[in-house]
Amino acid sequence: MERTLAIIKPDAVAAKHTGNIIDIIENNDFNIVRMYKTKLSRDQAERFYAIHKGKSFFEELVCMMISGPIIVLALEKDGAIKAWRELMGDTNPANAAPGTIRNLYGISIGSNATHGSDSPATAVQELAFFFPDL
Ligand code: ATP
Ligand code: MG
């Protein structure tokens, strides 16, 4: 079975949507392989989102990701990477399909509730970043 990294971002944790988002994850037949709560340092956030370094929104993204605690999850399911991204919905909550997590809980493109790996290679990298034992 495929694995992907999911993050419940600071905006959604602060708004107490953690339980609802985990409900959605379980109702959609993902196995939660690992899960913990943590707070990223600036260095960790900059390394995690290194692919976006140099983009106009990089500083805003890093500031948002270190603004409060996050929940990181290793999720498992057939086709987990695509399935989780579909469940999250479009990056911009304004464009996210009804019922998706970003439609339900996203506030703005910068505060869009969750993260998901975008390819098999990224999933391997991102899972190793938070779950080196996997
Ligand atoms: P994620 O990687 O968080 O799962 P994504 O793959 O849908 O989201 P990316 O293009 O990888 O989107 O962007 C990473 C994150 O950067 C987005 O989730 C969003 O919070 C933020 N971001 C992207 N574009 C903008 C923007 N124009 N302004 C502010 N923040 C942005
Ligand atoms: Mg991305």
Side-chain angles (χ1 to χ4, degrees), residues 44-64:
Q44 281 177 308
E46 287 182 354
R47 278 190 289 120
F48 183 76
Y49 275 118
I51 190 148
H52 296 302
K53 206 172 165 118
K55 293 186 186 163
S56 58
F57 59 83
F58 183 70
E59 180 57 24
E60 181 185 338
L61 174 60
V62 168
C63 282
M64 192 281 290

Side-chain angles (χ1 to χ4, degrees), residues 23-131:
D23 262 354
I24 294 173
I25 288 169
E26 293 201 310
N27 289 339
N28 282 272
D29 292 328
F30 288 90
N31 296 324
I32 298 172
V33 182
R34 296 273 198 290
M35 172 170 78
Y36 63 89
K37 188 173 191 175
T38 187
K39 190 166 183 293
L40 293 179
S41 66
R42 170 166 284 271
D43 177 64
Q44 281 177 308
E46 287 182 354
R47 278 190 289 120
F48 183 76
Y49 275 118
I51 190 148
H52 296 302
K53 206 172 165 118
K55 293 186 186 163
S56 58
F57 59 83
F58 183 70
E59 180 57 24
E60 181 185 338
L61 174 60
V62 168
C63 282
M64 192 281 290
M65 288 302 287
I66 66 176
S67 65
I70 60 171
I71 313 286
V72 290
L73 307 97
L75 301 181
E76 186 174 69
K77 178 181 175 158
D78 283 335
I81 296 168
K82 186 161 174 277
W84 173 238
R85 287 187 69 86
E86 282 176 4
L87 203 52
M88 289 198 300
D90 193 274
T91 305
N92 186 348
N95 301 328
T100 59
I101 291 169
R102 285 165 166 170
N103 167 257
L104 292 168
Y105 304 122
I107 298 162
S108 64
I109 190 163
S111 298
N112 58 1
T114 51
H115 164 86
S117 308
D118 62 9
S119 72
T122 312
V124 167
Q125 246 179 40
E126 293 184 348
L127 286 164
F129 188 95
F130 286 108
F131 302 101

